[in-house]
Structure formats: C-alpha cells, structure tokens
Amino acid sequence: MSEFTFSFNGEWKGGRAGKGHIRTEGIDNTVSIGAEMNGPGQGTNPDELLISAVATCYMMTLGIALDRQGLPYEKITVTSKGIVSDEGGLHFKEIIHYPATIIEKGTPRDTKEKILKAMEQAEKDCMIAKALKGNVQIYINPELKET
C-alpha cells in the first residue's frame, strides 16, 4: 500500500471582501471570493480550484486509461461547468464535463466505442470525483472529434 501527501499553506485577511494567498507545490496565487458571488474577484477562488481539480483529474485519468488500453488519440480537451446553489445553504450542486477526444478521421467504429466507454469510466475512476461522490452530481457529455 502506498500513501501520498500533498501540502497547502494559506493566509487570509478580511471578511467577504477580503483576500488571501495560497501556496502548494504547483500553485502560488491570490485568492478571494469570486465576483459572481459578490466578492472582489481577485486571483482564483475555491470554486474555480474545485472544478479545476475535478476536471484535471478526469482529463488525466482518461489519458491514462486510453494509453493503458492502447487506444489511439491525438489529444483530449475538457470544458467543465460547476453549478453552485444556495438552496439549503451554499453548496456545489453539480459539475458537468464536456470532454472531447480528438481522433484520426477513419478510426474504426469499435475503437470509437472503446474510447467513448473509457470517457464514461474515467469519471468513475477519478480520485477527486470519488471524494465528491454523494455530495456533488458529476455529469459527462462526451464527444469524439475527427481530424
């Protein structure tokens, strides 16, 4: 069994109009409440970080699965939207991924079907999505694009 540790350091000053700073191994950024939620909108915010984490995990998990299965593709693109609701207290209601796997024109039908299946499975295998399971609905609207 392996365990992995990730570290975070942060600081914050102020209330709703406040701002702070976060640091991890790969992030060094200002944070505040997003402008869409009546905050200052400086730097990033937890909502963007959460959707970025889920979408990045999905994208990487899919790439690993396609490689492991030997399925050919040129690249993966993902656009994601997070819906936050204040019904019953402010919370993430759902995340919708719009992934596209770019494949060569003329890719055989059975290969396309395997890629689409991998696109659906990647959401179930993503460790960040697993952490949100039961709290946030995650939907996938997969697409294959031929070049």
mmCIF file of all heavy atoms in Angstrom, residues 2 12 14-15 30 55 60 85 104 110:
data_model
loop_
_atom_site.group_PDB
_atom_site.id
_atom_site.type_symbol
_atom_site.label_atom_id
_atom_site.label_comp_id
_atom_site.label_asym_id
_atom_site.label_seq_id
_atom_site.Cartn_x
_atom_site.Cartn_y
_atom_site.Cartn_z
ATOM 1 N N SER A 2 0.514 2.212 -0.806
ATOM 2 C CA SER A 2 1.233 3.479 -0.877
ATOM 3 C C SER A 2 0.349 4.604 -0.355
ATOM 4 O O SER A 2 -0.867 4.548 -0.487
ATOM 5 C CB SER A 2 1.616 3.796 -2.320
ATOM 6 O OG SER A 2 2.477 2.825 -2.840
ATOM 7 N N TRP A 12 -5.262 34.483 5.039
ATOM 8 C CA TRP A 12 -6.468 35.234 4.677
ATOM 9 C C TRP A 12 -6.614 36.439 5.589
ATOM 10 O O TRP A 12 -6.325 36.349 6.793
ATOM 11 C CB TRP A 12 -7.699 34.338 4.841
ATOM 12 C CG TRP A 12 -8.981 35.014 4.484
ATOM 13 C CD1 TRP A 12 -9.863 35.599 5.353
ATOM 14 C CD2 TRP A 12 -9.529 35.183 3.191
ATOM 15 N NE1 TRP A 12 -10.929 36.128 4.672
ATOM 16 C CE2 TRP A 12 -10.738 35.883 3.329
ATOM 17 C CE3 TRP A 12 -9.108 34.815 1.918
ATOM 18 C CZ2 TRP A 12 -11.538 36.226 2.247
ATOM 19 C CZ3 TRP A 12 -9.910 35.153 0.840
ATOM 20 C CH2 TRP A 12 -11.103 35.840 1.005
ATOM 21 N N GLY A 14 -9.576 39.586 6.265
ATOM 22 C CA GLY A 14 -10.833 40.241 5.918
ATOM 23 C C GLY A 14 -11.996 39.289 5.921
ATOM 24 O O GLY A 14 -11.851 38.086 6.154
ATOM 25 N N GLY A 15 -13.149 39.836 5.646
ATOM 26 C CA GLY A 15 -14.377 39.048 5.569
ATOM 27 C C GLY A 15 -14.685 38.707 4.119
ATOM 28 O O GLY A 15 -13.810 38.275 3.365
ATOM 29 N N THR A 30 -3.084 34.487 -5.465
ATOM 30 C CA THR A 30 -4.003 35.273 -4.668
ATOM 31 C C THR A 30 -5.372 34.598 -4.724
ATOM 32 O O THR A 30 -5.741 34.030 -5.758
ATOM 33 C CB THR A 30 -4.105 36.704 -5.245
ATOM 34 O OG1 THR A 30 -2.820 37.311 -5.166
ATOM 35 C CG2 THR A 30 -5.118 37.553 -4.504
ATOM 36 N N ALA A 55 -11.870 18.507 -13.043
ATOM 37 C CA ALA A 55 -11.681 18.413 -14.495
ATOM 38 C C ALA A 55 -10.278 17.918 -14.854
ATOM 39 O O ALA A 55 -10.117 17.099 -15.765
ATOM 40 C CB ALA A 55 -11.947 19.770 -15.147
ATOM 41 N N MET A 60 -6.724 13.645 -16.873
ATOM 42 C CA MET A 60 -5.539 12.805 -16.692
ATOM 43 C C MET A 60 -5.917 11.330 -16.587
ATOM 44 O O MET A 60 -5.252 10.468 -17.157
ATOM 45 C CB MET A 60 -4.766 13.257 -15.451
ATOM 46 C CG MET A 60 -4.186 14.650 -15.593
ATOM 47 S SD MET A 60 -3.609 15.302 -14.019
ATOM 48 C CE MET A 60 -1.924 14.755 -14.052
ATOM 49 N N SER A 85 -25.391 26.250 -5.790
ATOM 50 C CA SER A 85 -26.748 26.609 -5.385
ATOM 51 C C SER A 85 -26.731 27.113 -3.943
ATOM 52 O O SER A 85 -25.898 26.686 -3.152
ATOM 53 C CB SER A 85 -27.648 25.368 -5.488
ATOM 54 O OG SER A 85 -28.928 25.633 -4.943
ATOM 55 N N GLU A 104 -8.159 10.402 -35.195
ATOM 56 C CA GLU A 104 -7.950 10.488 -36.636
ATOM 57 C C GLU A 104 -9.223 10.141 -37.384
ATOM 58 O O GLU A 104 -9.981 9.258 -36.965
ATOM 59 C CB GLU A 104 -6.852 9.514 -37.079
ATOM 60 C CG GLU A 104 -5.462 9.989 -36.800
ATOM 61 C CD GLU A 104 -4.417 9.070 -37.427
ATOM 62 O OE1 GLU A 104 -4.751 8.317 -38.381
ATOM 63 O OE2 GLU A 104 -3.283 9.109 -36.949
ATOM 64 N N ASP A 110 -15.373 0.200 -33.711
ATOM 65 C CA ASP A 110 -15.161 -0.484 -32.432
ATOM 66 C C ASP A 110 -14.166 0.276 -31.557
ATOM 67 O O ASP A 110 -14.302 0.322 -30.334
ATOM 68 C CB ASP A 110 -14.733 -1.945 -32.625
ATOM 69 C CG ASP A 110 -13.371 -2.097 -33.278
ATOM 70 O OD1 ASP A 110 -13.041 -1.303 -34.188
ATOM 71 O OD2 ASP A 110 -12.634 -3.018 -32.882
#
